[in-house]
Amino acid sequence: MNTRKRSTGNSSSKGKSSNRPSAARSQRSGAASADSSRSSASTSRNTAATNKPLAAKSSTTGNQARSTKAKSSGASKRSGNSYYRKQEPPRQYQVTESEELLPFLLKHLKDGRNAVKSILGRGQVSVDQKVVTKFNLALTPGQTVSISKEGAVAAPSMTGVNILHEDNDIIVIRKEAGLLSIAADRSNDLTAYRQLMEHVRRTNPNNRIFVVHRLDRDTSGVMMFAKSEEVQQKLQNNWKDNVQDRVYVALVEGAVSKEEGTISSWLKETKTLKMYSSPRANDGQHAITHYKRLKSNREFSLLEVRLETGRKNQIRVHMEDLGHPIAGDKKYGARTRDLGRLGLHARVLSFIHPTTDKLMTFETDIPKQFLYPFRADNATAE
């Protein structure tokens, strides 16, 4: 940094002091004239007199150069500081008691309210590595508040992904229907995995995410990713114990007669990658699905579905076995296409946090499209 300043200053000084060599040449020329005219004292005096203005001029030029150098050096310093300011690590403060963000910042920054709000507005404040601008954000003990010298660069928005929770170990998202969880090969398809990988690498290029479980492309809802291989293995190896509840909502074709029920079968996969229930026990992977009817009419039923096991396409296969395929699921026997998407949504995910051992539950709303078939029924009931 200092080297850059000296280099810039010297360069500027050289540029402004180009008259110095000229002054020196004039002095040498005057000295030669004096040697050739030693018999004439007046000539020598004139030469000396001539040299004085030149020396004075050179001195003036040197002062100007030094002044210019100082200005240039100052400009270089400002420019250098501006450059390196972006590289400075943010100041970090640990939250030790519950309070709102603005009072916390006022206490640590010693600035006025307007100045602190400006810092917030410029995106210079992060809480647990996530940029925040809300001055009334509630802080909890254990969180880390970071304040950067420069405003954060706005991160590009993600497509079909909404982050519900993020900490040092996991990311929980709501995935939209139509987005792949992860690509099956090395294709360049847009996926939740790829977007989240880019998201975590904005903070540190070495950061990564790891897949814990998946949702089908056309299934929306809550998903979880791990931020380390260790956390991934801990979650996957203890999935049954860690996951306390997984609740889906399914819009299925036809009126489901039973208010609730359980479907159990052994799932296998065809060569065309379609899952099906084997007619023989112990032939394939055992799958158990519990369902409860929420709404129903002649055309559709809205079911709450709980998974006891998590097999590929399990709900889709079991709804077909029930005789009520999921709306829009042509692969598994559906005839309706009015919905414009698959009628399956992972609504609730409840699990024990792999590091803190705290119970965490994430619940999302039922997609509005799933309720459209029952609008007339609601109007009639009213």
Side-chain angles (χ1 to χ4, degrees):
M1 185 169 181
N2 292 334
T3 303
R4 181 172 297 191
K5 293 177 191 174
R6 287 197 296 270
S7 175
T8 305
N10 290 342
S11 175
S12 175
S13 176
K14 287 179 181 178
K16 291 295 183 180
S17 302
S18 58
N19 288 336
R20 283 185 174 177
S22 177
R25 284 196 297 271
S26 297
Q27 289 172 340
R28 287 197 297 270
S29 175
S33 177
D35 290 339
S36 63
S37 306
R38 291 178 186 277
S39 60
S40 174
S42 61
T43 304
S44 179
R45 284 194 299 272
N46 289 340
T47 304
T50 302
N51 284 340
K52 286 181 181 179
L54 285 172
K57 184 176 181 181
S58 176
S59 176
T60 302
T61 305
N63 290 337
Q64 291 174 342
R66 283 190 294 273
S67 175
T68 304
K69 179 179 178 180
K71 292 179 180 178
S72 174
S73 177
S76 174
K77 183 177 180 180
R78 288 192 297 272
S79 175
N81 286 346
S82 175
Y83 175 80
Y84 285 102
R85 187 180 299 129
K86 297 178 182 178
Q87 310 302 319
E88 290 182 16
R91 289 173 287 170
Q92 294 188 334
Y93 304 94
Q94 294 296 319
V95 179
T96 57
E97 58 183 352
S98 298
E99 61 180 317
E100 290 189 349
L101 181 57
L102 182 58
F104 181 89
L105 294 174
L106 289 171
K107 181 170 60 179
H108 288 86
L109 294 181
K110 310 298 183 184
D111 289 331
R113 293 175 68 88
N114 291 337
V116 171
K117 285 186 177 181
S118 296
I119 291 173
L120 277 167
R122 289 193 295 268
Q124 293 175 235
V125 179
S126 301
V127 177
D128 288 343
Q129 301 183 352
K130 185 176 181 180
V131 175
V132 295
T133 57
K134 293 173 58 178
F135 67 88
N136 61 346
L137 178 75
L139 300 176
T140 57
Q143 290 183 310
T144 301
V145 177
S146 304
I147 303 170
S148 303
K149 289 282 188 180
E150 295 291 328
V153 177
S157 59
M158 289 183 279
T159 301
V161 172
N162 179 33
I163 296 177
L164 303 178
H165 170 82
E166 180 177 7
D167 58 36
N168 293 330
D169 302 299
I170 60 172
I171 299 181
V172 181
I173 68 165
R174 184 190 191 280
K175 184 186 82 69
E176 298 295 336
L179 178 69
L180 281 170
S181 297
I182 185 171
D185 49 30
R186 295 182 178 271
S187 65
N188 293 322
D189 290 338
L190 183 69
T191 64
Y193 173 83
R194 178 167 293 155
Q195 293 183 81
L196 290 172
M197 184 74 83
E198 292 175 359
H199 166 74
V200 298
R201 284 181 171 173
R202 291 188 195 106
T203 305
N204 184 335
N206 295 322
N207 285 345
R208 292 186 62 192
I209 63 164
F210 298 82
V211 177
V212 176
H213 66 115
R214 306 185 188 193
L215 293 179
D216 294 339
R217 179 202 289 263
D218 295 319
T219 301
S220 58
V222 186
M223 281 188 69
M224 174 170 50
F225 291 85
K227 282 190 168 183
S228 70
E229 192 169 8
E230 180 184 0
V231 171
Q232 178 200 38
Q233 293 302 315
K234 187 174 182 179
L235 286 167
Q236 289 183 337
N237 294 339
N238 302 284
W239 187 250
K240 289 184 178 180
D241 295 329
N242 282 334
V243 176
Q244 303 298 298
D245 207 6
R246 290 180 72 186
V247 181
Y248 288 72
V249 284
L251 182 68
V252 300
E253 294 183 345
V256 176
S257 57
K258 293 179 64 176
E259 185 173 344
E260 57 184 57
T262 298
I263 306 168
S264 175
S265 72
W266 300 85
L267 299 186
K268 297 187 69 176
E269 190 171 21
T270 67
K271 293 181 179 179
T272 59
L273 306 181
K274 180 182 178 182
M275 303 298 294
Y276 69 97
S277 291
S278 172
R280 297 190 302 274
N282 300 312
D283 184 26
Q285 293 181 313
H286 194 203
I288 303 174
T289 304
H290 307 284
Y291 70 88
K292 178 181 178 181
R293 190 181 65 211
L294 300 177
K295 294 178 179 290
S296 182
N297 58 28
R298 287 189 301 177
E299 287 79 24
F300 296 97
S301 295
L302 185 65
L303 306 181
E304 179 182 272
V305 180
R306 277 184 161 80
L307 293 178
E308 187 170 323
T309 58
R311 310 302 185 189
K312 179 181 177 182
N313 294 169
Q314 175 177 326
I315 299 176
R316 299 168 67 180
V317 174
H318 279 175
M319 293 301 104
E320 183 183 33
D321 292 346
L322 188 64
H324 299 278
I326 293 175
D329 194 2
K330 185 178 179 181
K331 182 176 182 179
Y332 290 97
R335 298 179 181 180
T336 57
R337 299 182 181 179
D338 298 342
L339 196 61
R341 56 158 293 182
L342 186 72
L344 187 60
H345 175 75
R347 188 183 184 192
V348 178
L349 178 61
S350 182
F351 58 92
I352 303 297
H353 192 283
T355 303
T356 66
D357 290 331
K358 292 182 179 179
L359 177 65
M360 305 192 74
T361 300
F362 297 92
E363 181 173 354
T364 57
D365 294 334
I366 298 174
K368 292 181 179 179
Q369 303 100 307
F370 290 20
L371 302 174
Y372 288 166
F374 309 104
R375 286 178 296 179
D377 299 338
N378 292 337
T380 302
E382 294 173 0

